[in-house]
């Protein structure tokens, strides 16, 4: 019987295959790689800043870490649907995936 990590990987892979788009991922060090990942053009995040509720929106890329040759990092760049983005934060989910918070690169 598969363990929790195996099940999480299967679900993540199924979601990527169903909802993913092609991404050219360029790490700061290493070779570019083409992957399939789930892109959200405007992802909303809610939280507290000094006890005050704050909501922000930013583009986000959900990736499976096994699809990348190196761990994602701040400063990496990528292209989705002809638009360029820079990774500004990496939030690992503890189950083999990560949410990459992006800023759109200026031409």
């Amino acid at each position: 019987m598969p363990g929790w990590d195996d099940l999480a990987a299967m679900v993540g892979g199924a979601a990527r295959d169903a909802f993913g788009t092609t991404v050219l991922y360029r790490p700061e060090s290493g070779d570019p790689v083409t992957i399939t990942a789930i892109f959200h053009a405007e992802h909303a995040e809610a939280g507290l800043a000094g006890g005050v509720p704050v909501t922000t929106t930013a583009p986000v890329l959900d990736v499976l870490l096994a699809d990348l040759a190196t761990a994602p990092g701040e400063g990496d760049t990528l292209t989705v649907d002809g638009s360029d983005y820079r990774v500004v934060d990496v939030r690992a989910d503890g189950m083999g995936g990560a949410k990459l918070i992006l800023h759109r690169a200026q031409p």
Side-chain angles (χ1 to χ4, degrees):
M1 179 170 183
W4 179 252
D5 291 339
D6 296 328
L7 292 173
M10 287 189 313
V11 169
R16 176 203 56 211
D17 294 344
F19 304 109
T21 189
T22 301
V23 176
L24 176 60
Y25 193 90
R26 294 178 299 279
E28 278 196 308
S29 59
D31 294 326
V33 61
T34 300
I35 62 169
T36 300
I38 300 173
F39 178 72
H40 309 274
E42 292 190 23
H43 175 78
E45 292 257 342
L48 293 176
V52 178
V54 176
T55 302
T56 60
T57 58
V60 169
L61 188 70
D62 290 314
V63 299
L64 294 178
L65 297 174
D67 290 343
L68 300 171
T70 61
E74 294 177 20
D76 291 355
T77 59
L78 55 103
T79 302
V80 180
D81 295 330
S83 295
D84 294 324
Y85 297 88
R86 182 174 43 86
V87 177
V88 295
D89 193 17
V90 177
R91 300 181 185 168
D93 65 12
M95 294 182 288
K99 186 176 297 297
L100 307 182
I101 310 302
L102 309 172
H103 280 180
R104 190 159 186 177
Q106 299 302 318

